[in-house]
Amino acid sequence: MRAKRCVRAWTRLILLLVVTVTALLAPPPPLFAAGAAPPVPEATVPAVGRAWPVGLRPRILRGWEPPASVYGPGHRGVDLAAPPGTPVRAVAAGRVSFAGRVAGKGVISLELTGTGDPPLRTTYQPVTATVQEDEEVEPGEVIGTVDAPGSHCTTTCVHWGLRRERTYLNPLALLPPWLLHRGPSRLLPVY
């Protein structure tokens, strides 16, 4: 009886060793679905932003969640809390490439100046545009206002996206650290 237990224990140990060695020597699984391009590293996104799209430091309701594949699930942008009528500003200098409605929602797209060829394109929705196509805009310039209907958030928000051609990128990468991580002002004592 004791010999059977000993043989079983050794058999399990050898089996565990074989499975472990096989797993360690196997090639790693693919990171992306067949035919899908890996996401572009955020280091390729220049920090050209000079303003948040809404407010001074809006609350992020939902962050960037890149899809594992071209058509996979994910969140291809950032949702920023903003009440209806809030001014929406250009994050960086650029040219309005689209200002109109898509599937009933107001959308503005800007091609950002000096971001390569093809240029980066940032989008804002749902927004009522106060700019027109081909108009040049400066960082911080008001380009529209937040629409009340059409938000996909539980509260009114602006969906802010970023793309280079067909590749979605994290729009927060446009903001320099001093703007992205700015903390509250602190007064120091004077001696």
Side-chain angles (χ1 to χ4, degrees):
M1 193 72 160
R2 205 170 175 186
K4 283 185 180 180
R5 278 192 216 149
C6 190
V7 169
R8 281 188 198 150
W10 277 106
T11 304
R12 288 181 185 154
L13 183 62
I14 291 171
L15 182 60
L16 179 63
L17 183 63
V18 168
V19 169
T20 302
V21 169
T22 303
L24 290 174
L25 295 177
L31 293 175
F32 309 101
V40 177
E42 290 177 15
T44 63
V45 176
V48 295
R50 296 294 171 257
W52 281 90
V54 290
L56 297 175
R57 178 69 169 96
R59 186 167 50 104
I60 297 173
L61 299 175
R62 185 172 177 194
W64 162 252
E65 297 167 20
S69 68
V70 176
Y71 300 108
H75 190 239
R76 293 161 173 85
V78 175
D79 293 337
L80 305 172
T86 300
V88 177
R89 300 180 184 282
V91 173
R95 182 186 63 80
V96 178
S97 58
F98 180 81
R101 300 196 79 69
V102 175
K105 294 181 185 178
V107 177
I108 299 173
S109 293
L110 302 178
E111 285 186 358
L112 303 182
T113 305
T115 57
D117 188 28
L120 290 171
R121 180 176 291 188
T122 188
T123 58
Y124 312 84
Q125 68 175 348
V127 176
T128 299
T130 57
V131 291
Q132 296 179 0
E133 288 182 26
D134 292 324
E135 192 174 324
E136 296 290 328
V137 296
E138 293 298 319
E141 184 177 333
V142 174
I143 58 174
T145 56
V146 177
D147 282 346
S151 176
H152 63 269
C153 302
T154 55
T155 183
T156 311
C157 74
V158 168
H159 178 84
W160 176 33
L162 178 66
R163 287 174 38 170
R164 185 180 305 275
E165 286 192 310
R166 294 183 181 192
T167 303
Y168 288 90
L169 303 164
N170 184 354
L172 293 174
L174 287 171
L175 300 178
W178 62 267
L179 187 59
L180 188 60
H181 301 293
R182 182 178 2 190
S185 299
R186 290 186 176 87
L187 297 176
L188 299 175
V190 176
Y191 294 102

